[in-house]
Amino acid sequence: MEAGRKEKPIDVYRCFPAEASGAGPASESTGQHSNQWSEGVGILFSSAATFVLSLALSLANEGEDPASCAPKREVKDDERLLIDWRKVDHLIARLPRPSSKHGLKMVDLGLDLVYEVETNPQPGWLEAVALCTLLTLPWAEHEELLLAICSQIEIWEDTKQLMRALSQIGSTRMAELVSAKLQQFIVLRLLTLQTLDRAIESTVAALGMAWQANEASNLVDRHLFHCDAINADEFDIRADYMRWLQGLFSFCSYSFMYEAAAKAEILRLQNRVEMREEFQQALLMSFMSDSREAQPYFVLKVRREHLLNDTVLQMRHARTRMKRPLKVVFVGEAGVDEGGVAKEFFQLLTDQLLNPDFGMLQEEVETRQLWFRASHIQSLEEFELIGSLVGLAIYNGILLDVSFPLVLYRKLLGNVPTFEDLRDFKPSIYSNLERLRQLDSGFEDLGLVFQAEQENEFGDGFHPVDLRPGGGDVPVTQDNVLEYIEEYARHLMVTSISSQFEAFKEGFSKVCGGAALELFFAEDLQLVLQGIICYDWGALRQHTRLEGFSPSDDVVLWFWETVGEYDEEQQRRLLSFVTGSDRVPIKGLGALTPPFALVKNGDEDRLPTAHTCFNVFMLPAFKDKATLQRRMQQALENSQGFGLQ
């Protein structure tokens, strides 16, 4: 039988060296378990799956012919083959741990027989259960046996059946499989070899199969699949990314193993390459032309009092230059943009985009998240501008103080929204629809029809919109309530704002795209744009660079005491004062680039200043803590606008 595989299973026996302990092929204790095996295996699986376990665990009957365990009857196609893992655990606890090559040889014989059985009711299922059972056994922690199983999984064709078997193993067993077996093997082997080999590739392929099964069954948290070894600073993530682009084995093909911070680094690598190429091309053009296109930077010259209009006009004519390194100039100010001016520009522009007078986006009352206004369909160019600005921020590694719902990032990555996306986006509507889903009767009293309300142009009232043709005449009943819920959710997240979103996505994709985005989940992309709100000043202090001060100087101690006494709003203002943004990078304040610096700057007659481009806080040598606190407060209250940065 050829179901579900490309070739005969690996000979587990040949994977093992000679037994060092000299144990014999069978022990007396093994024979004592033979009758218990024969009696107990029948309750472990239903119908044909009984045969699978008896074969896969035939090592319990070392020295006996595993074919004697074959089922006595054919199995009907409609019989469910579900695994009772509690009973499996009970029997495994009574089985002797295999201590000889002969026991392992029986595993191989069992797998051979599984492939040859002719009474298989569902092709591929019995083989999948056998592999799944072996993979989750405590004995699979043995390196060579684990590799043999993972190698077989790597060449498996009927992945659907294997995923089905893995999805039944339960949360505890899945967590043990991922963390204690597969991840542990990958980490230890990478640290030991400091390179890739076939063993790592096979084990990663098995981990990928476990990932797919977990995505379908949601047994364990996604974070369990993050691999410490490849997320460590010492790992050469650039080399792994280049292998991926060349079509070689790469962890990028298993992006669930990367944390969001690592994916953000890969995106930065891609963006820097594109920037360098654009910069070099523009320099070449500058030798041949005096046109604007020959400018090696993407320069935005804006007036503070006309920030939005100036930006719109320049972005409209900058389609071919937006992937060049960004420089922002505030007209009439001396700021030289090495990154800090651009940070302030995006912060101020974000504030204006949120202004109700602009009217393109609206803030959800419950979640404070931004969404498209369904009534504005005549201003698609402005939606494209917003998308370009969001893409430009990500492309240049700038965090924005915005909050979009997760469903926006899912849509940007090509995912289709589902009803569950409403939980984060519109929790009250989600709760009401969920209660409607649970309703058994009384639909007539609700008076619902297949319609939803949508805002009129310029926000002047609402009008009904059909969720299906003639929806105003179709009442919601118990028979069609699920369709109503699905269509209502689709209306909110897709159809009512389709033109606006497509314009936004087009603008976003012009600046931020490429292969690296394929690695991202929606949660990752959200963190890259919005950062995190977690002010770990202890981590910042630990990584702070001092110039002109020593850690024990009074003024340094007073500074950190003052920061520790600030409330969250004051801490946000301080972070914005020093870095140009109140958002925290994915890896936290300790990962600021460049590192935060406290630099001695004159005596107490001065106010503290900052070089946001370099995350530098210029701190005068104040004589007492009270003066330091007063001067810092004055500086923070008058922080908008740049001197020479």
Side-chain angles (χ1 to χ4, degrees):
M1 185 183 69
E2 296 295 327
R5 64 185 179 94
K6 294 180 181 177
E7 57 188 60
K8 180 182 178 294
I10 286 177
D11 188 340
V12 181
Y13 176 75
R14 289 195 295 271
C15 294
F16 283 81
E19 189 71 40
S21 64
S27 64
E28 292 183 5
S29 61
T30 301
Q32 294 172 359
H33 285 273
S34 296
N35 292 335
Q36 293 176 350
W37 169 265
S38 300
E39 295 172 359
V41 74
I43 63 172
L44 298 181
F45 291 83
S46 62
S47 58
T50 301
F51 179 45
V52 175
L53 189 64
S54 66
L55 295 176
L57 301 184
S58 57
L59 51 88
N61 284 317
E62 291 180 356
E64 296 184 10
D65 180 7
S68 63
C69 300
K72 305 303 181 183
R73 64 178 179 84
E74 293 189 3
V75 183
K76 296 179 180 178
D77 290 350
D78 59 352
E79 287 192 74
R80 301 186 67 194
L81 304 178
L82 300 179
I83 309 170
D84 189 338
W85 285 103
R86 291 178 301 175
K87 294 177 180 177
V88 171
D89 286 338
H90 177 70
L91 183 60
I92 288 174
R94 300 166 60 190
L95 295 177
R97 186 182 182 87
S99 59
S100 68
K101 293 196 298 180
H102 181 72
L104 295 166
K105 179 63 176 178
M106 298 303 291
V107 176
D108 188 48
L109 289 175
L111 284 174
D112 279 346
L113 286 172
V114 167
Y115 282 107
E116 295 169 5
V117 66
E118 297 179 355
T119 57
N120 189 343
Q122 298 183 32
W125 171 243
L126 298 184
E127 301 96 311
V129 172
L131 273 181
C132 179
T133 302
L134 285 172
L135 188 60
T136 55
L137 286 176
W139 311 320
E141 66 191 21
H142 193 297
E143 179 177 306
E144 299 298 334
L145 180 56
L146 179 63
L147 283 179
I149 300 169
C150 291
S151 297
Q152 185 61 39
I153 289 175
E154 186 180 21
I155 65 171
W156 205 261
E157 285 186 338
D158 197 347
T159 57
K160 182 178 180 181
Q161 296 285 25
L162 190 54
M163 283 176 53
R164 177 185 169 197
L166 282 170
S167 68
Q168 295 182 19
I169 68 178
S171 299
T172 301
R173 191 173 272 97
M174 178 65 83
E176 292 174 351
L177 171 63
V178 171
S179 299
K181 292 179 183 173
L182 302 177
Q183 290 278 32
Q184 179 173 294
F185 175 84
I186 294 167
V187 170
L188 292 178
R189 199 165 183 93
L190 277 173
L191 294 178
T192 301
L193 300 180
Q194 294 294 306
T195 188
L196 296 171
D197 67 354
R198 283 292 301 140
I200 291 175
E201 294 180 15
S202 296
T203 311
V204 169
L207 184 64
M209 189 63 65
W211 162 264
Q212 293 182 55
N214 188 68
E215 284 292 280
S217 55
N218 196 29
L219 294 176
V220 298
D221 192 279
R222 281 180 168 180
H223 291 87
L224 275 184
F225 290 86
H226 292 163
C227 180
D228 293 341
I230 69 172
N231 287 291
D233 293 337
E234 298 78 15
F235 183 73
D236 192 346
I237 199 169
R238 183 180 184 278
D240 191 58
Y241 174 60
M242 296 306 296
R243 283 195 302 271
W244 183 55
L245 294 181
Q246 295 165 13
L248 303 175
F249 174 85
S250 165
F251 293 105
C252 290
S253 298
Y254 303 88
S255 61
F256 56 83
M257 299 178 68
Y258 275 123
E259 296 174 352
K263 296 178 186 179
E265 179 60 28
I266 292 173
L267 183 61
R268 281 192 289 271
L269 285 172
Q270 173 186 276
N271 292 344
R272 282 198 292 267
V273 170
E274 291 186 2
M275 280 187 184
R276 184 166 59 248
E277 291 175 350
E278 288 285 338
F279 184 84
Q280 292 172 346
Q281 183 177 357
L283 280 178
L284 182 62
M285 291 177 60
S286 68
F287 290 111
M288 301 181 296
S289 171
D290 294 327
S291 69
R292 180 186 301 176
E293 295 300 322
Q295 167 62 254
Y297 294 96
F298 175 34
V299 181
L300 285 174
K301 295 182 179 181
V302 294
R303 298 165 293 176
R304 287 185 181 272
E305 62 274 18
H306 302 289
L307 183 65
L308 187 57
N309 288 337
D310 289 353
T311 302
V312 170
L313 289 174
Q314 293 178 70
M315 292 283 288
R316 184 175 294 161
H317 302 289
R319 299 179 186 275
T320 61
R321 305 194 311 273
M322 286 190 290
K323 286 198 172 185
R324 299 175 189 175
L326 175 67
K327 299 288 184 181
V328 175
V329 177
F330 283 108
V331 176
E333 300 183 22
V336 177
D337 189 11
E338 296 295 338
V341 180
K343 292 179 186 177
E344 189 193 21
F345 162 76
F346 275 102
Q347 194 63 49
L348 296 175
L349 190 62
T350 300
D351 291 341
Q352 293 201 20
L353 289 175
L354 304 185
N355 191 313
D357 294 338
F358 188 53
M360 309 305 295
L361 303 173
Q362 60 185 3
E363 188 176 71
E364 295 295 320
V365 176
E366 284 184 279
T367 61
R368 306 294 301 275
Q369 295 173 334
L370 298 174
W371 194 242
F372 308 97
R373 295 199 63 165
S375 58
H376 281 252
I377 59 174
Q378 305 300 324
S379 307
L380 297 183
E381 187 178 27
E382 280 76 9
F383 284 107
E384 183 178 338
L385 166 67
I386 297 174
S388 295
L389 288 171
V390 170
L392 197 62
I394 293 177
Y395 186 71
N396 287 274
I398 296 174
L399 299 174
L400 294 185
D401 185 15
V402 297
S403 180
F404 291 114
L406 199 60
V407 66
L408 174 66
Y409 300 98
R410 283 176 46 79
K411 285 165 66 72
L412 282 174
L413 294 174
N415 298 311
V416 178
T418 67
F419 171 64
E420 286 302 314
D421 288 311
L422 279 181
R423 185 196 296 267
D424 162 68
F425 176 33
K426 292 178 176 287
S428 291
I429 292 178
Y430 174 86
S431 297
N432 290 336
L433 292 175
E434 183 61 32
R435 283 196 292 268
L436 186 63
R437 187 212 296 267
Q438 304 298 329
L439 200 62
D440 293 329
S441 60
F443 289 95
E444 297 81 2
D445 298 332
L446 297 176
L448 294 174
V449 294
F450 271 71
Q451 284 186 330
E453 287 190 336
Q454 183 166 308
E455 187 180 46
N456 294 328
E457 188 72 20
F458 306 113
D460 182 21
F462 294 85
H463 65 278
V465 175
D466 288 342
L467 300 179
R468 58 183 289 186
D473 299 322
V474 181
V476 177
T477 65
Q478 189 169 4
D479 293 332
N480 62 23
V481 64
L482 295 181
E483 179 190 354
Y484 171 78
I485 292 172
E486 180 180 336
E487 291 299 328
Y488 197 98
R490 185 170 180 271
H491 167 77
L492 292 176
M493 296 182 287
V494 180
T495 54
S496 65
I497 49 89
S498 60
S499 299
Q500 296 89 324
F501 172 76
E502 290 303 322
F504 177 93
K505 184 177 181 179
E506 182 178 354
F508 178 86
S509 301
K510 287 177 180 176
V511 189
C512 189
L517 277 185
E518 297 175 19
L519 309 179
F520 282 74
F521 300 120
E523 295 85 351
D524 303 326
L525 194 57
Q526 186 179 51
L527 287 174
V528 169
L529 177 65
Q530 300 177 198
I532 60 176
I533 302 178
C534 180
Y535 302 119
D536 186 354
W537 296 100
L540 183 66
R541 183 174 184 177
Q542 184 179 352
H543 293 84
T544 293
R545 177 173 55 87
L546 298 176
E547 290 187 15
F549 293 119
S550 67
S552 59
D553 286 347
D554 286 340
V555 67
V556 174
L557 298 176
W558 293 335
F559 172 80
W560 290 115
E561 289 172 4
T562 299
V563 172
E565 293 165 3
Y566 278 174
D567 59 27
E568 184 174 316
E569 178 58 31
Q570 290 172 308
Q571 290 179 346
R572 286 169 61 99
R573 295 183 67 177
L574 174 61
L575 185 63
S576 182
F577 179 78
V578 177
T579 69
S581 172
D582 62 358
R583 312 299 287 189
V584 179
I586 296 175
K587 287 188 175 182
L589 286 175
L592 281 178
T593 304
F596 176 64
L598 277 178
V599 178
K600 190 173 183 178
N601 185 38
D603 55 30
E604 62 181 4
D605 292 334
R606 296 188 175 190
L607 287 175
T609 57
H611 295 306
T612 56
C613 304
F614 307 104
N615 299 330
V616 172
F617 189 85
M618 307 295 292
L619 182 63
F622 297 112
K623 301 300 183 182
D624 57 73
K625 182 177 178 180
T627 303
L628 178 145
Q629 290 176 322
R630 184 174 65 256
R631 292 292 193 177
M632 281 184 62
Q633 187 65 26
Q634 290 174 343
L636 296 183
E637 289 175 351
N638 299 277
S639 60
Q640 191 177 80
F642 280 74
L644 184 63
Q645 304 297 322

